[in-house]
Amino acid sequence: MSYPEMPQRPWRQRYHVQAIAWVVGLIILLVLSSWATGANFGMFLANIDQFTVLLVQMSHPAWDYLSVIIQPLYETIQMAILGTTIGAAFAVPFSVLAAHNLVSNKYLRGLIRLVLDLVRTLPDLLLAAIFVAVFGIGSTAGVVTLAIFSFGMVSKLFYEVIETIDMGPLEAMKSVGASKVTIIWYAVLPQILNQFVSYFLYTLEINVRASTVLGYLGAGGIGVYLQRSLDQFNYSATAVIILATLVVVMVIDGISNHLRRVLL
C-alpha cells in the first residue's frame, strides 16, 4: 500500500524560518545580557546628540596639528616595530616546543603552553602599568609591554601553524640522520615562513593601535597627545591623530599583502 508523499517546504522557506529564529534568539540574548549587566540603552539614546556633536567637531581636523604629532607618531611606530620584533623572536623557539608534532614530551609541551596561556592572560594595559612603575614614564615601558604581548600572541598563532605542516620532509630528513636544528631549519621553517611574516605584520598592526592606548599610562608615543587632546576637548586634534594612525595601519596592511604575494 502506497502512501501519498507529504509536500516538502521549499528551501527558501526553510531558510527564512531559520533566519527569523536566529534573529529572535539574538534579540532575546541581547535583552537578557542588557538586563544582567545593567546596560542602560535609554541613556544611550538620550545622549546620542552628544555623539553627533563630537562627530561634527571631528569632521574638521586641525591639519596644523600634524606637525606636532609627527615625532610622537614616529616614536609609536618605532615602539611597535621593536616590541613586535623582540616578541616574535622569542616566540619562535617557544612555538617549536609547544607543537605536538615536533615535541613528543607531553609534560614539556604542557608546561610551555601553560606559560604561553599565562602570558596571554595578562592584559596589555596591566603590563603597561607595571612596567611604567618599574622603568618610569617613557617608551621603554611601552616596548617591553608590546614585546610580551607580541610574544604571547605570535606564539599561539605560530605553533598552530607548525602543527599543520607536511611531515613528509621531516621524516625524510630524520631517516638520513639530520639533527633537530637542521630539520627545523630546512623542513619546518620553509613551510611556515609566509604565515609567520603575515602574523608578524598583523601583530605589528595591532601594536601600532595598542601603542596609542598605552600612552595613557605614560608608556610614550602618540598616546600622550591623544590623551591631551581628549582632556582638552580638542576633537579636531583628536581627528588628526586618528587619521594619522589609520594611514600607518593601512601602509602596514599594504606591505603585508605585498609580502604575502611575493612569498606565495
Side-chain angles (χ1 to χ4, degrees):
M1 180 178 179
S2 61
Y3 294 93
E5 294 185 359
M6 296 296 293
Q8 296 183 355
R9 289 185 297 178
W11 68 270
R12 292 179 182 272
Q13 185 177 356
R14 293 198 302 270
Y15 175 78
H16 290 159
V17 171
Q18 292 176 358
I20 293 173
W22 274 106
V23 171
V24 172
L26 289 175
I27 292 175
I28 294 175
L29 182 61
L30 178 63
V31 172
L32 293 176
S33 301
S34 302
W35 174 76
T37 58
N40 191 342
F41 285 98
M43 182 181 296
F44 171 77
L45 295 175
N47 294 277
I48 194 69
D49 57 329
Q50 297 297 324
F51 182 69
T52 305
V53 171
L54 187 148
L55 287 179
V56 170
Q57 294 182 11
M58 293 183 66
S59 64
H60 299 85
W63 295 113
D64 56 334
Y65 195 70
L66 189 61
S67 60
V68 178
I69 65 170
I70 288 296
Q71 181 59 34
L73 182 62
Y74 181 61
E75 180 182 354
T76 296
I77 298 173
Q78 288 179 315
M79 288 170 49
I81 293 175
L82 187 57
T84 307
T85 303
I86 294 174
F90 280 96
V92 173
F94 276 83
S95 301
V96 172
L97 293 175
H100 70 81
N101 55 345
L102 296 183
V103 176
S104 57
N105 190 328
K106 63 179 181 179
Y107 299 105
L108 174 61
R109 191 171 66 247
L111 178 61
I112 295 298
R113 293 197 179 194
L114 177 61
V115 172
L116 298 180
D117 290 339
L118 290 174
V119 171
R120 289 196 305 274
T121 301
L122 298 175
D124 51 355
L125 290 178
L126 175 60
L127 291 173
I130 293 174
F131 290 122
V132 165
V134 174
F135 298 108
I137 296 176
S139 58
T140 301
V143 170
V144 177
T145 299
L146 295 176
I148 294 178
F149 171 77
S150 302
F151 167 73
M153 181 176 179
V154 174
S155 297
K156 169 70 173 177
L157 297 172
F158 202 28
Y159 81 69
E160 288 181 348
V161 172
I162 293 176
E163 291 179 340
T164 64
I165 63 174
D166 180 13
M167 296 298 293
L170 280 75
E171 298 298 334
M173 296 191 69
K174 284 182 182 179
S175 64
V176 297
S179 64
K180 285 281 188 180
V181 175
T182 304
I183 292 173
I184 293 173
W185 185 260
Y186 289 103
V188 177
L189 292 182
Q191 295 189 60
I192 59 177
L193 180 60
N194 55 342
Q195 290 95 334
F196 178 72
V197 173
S198 178
Y199 289 144
F200 174 85
L201 293 173
Y202 175 65
T203 306
L204 176 61
E205 177 185 328
I206 293 176
N207 284 341
V208 170
R209 297 196 299 267
S211 300
T212 62
V213 180
L214 297 182
Y216 275 84
L217 301 176
I222 201 173
V224 177
Y225 291 81
L226 179 62
Q227 179 189 25
R228 185 182 303 171
S229 65
L230 291 174
D231 290 342
Q232 297 174 352
F233 303 102
N234 187 2
Y235 297 119
S236 298
T238 302
V240 174
I241 296 175
I242 294 175
L243 291 174
T245 307
L246 174 63
V247 170
V248 173
V249 171
M250 291 177 63
V251 170
I252 295 174
D253 183 62
I255 295 174
S256 176
N257 293 332
H258 174 70
L259 289 178
R260 275 196 297 267
R261 289 194 297 269
V262 171
L263 293 173
L264 287 177

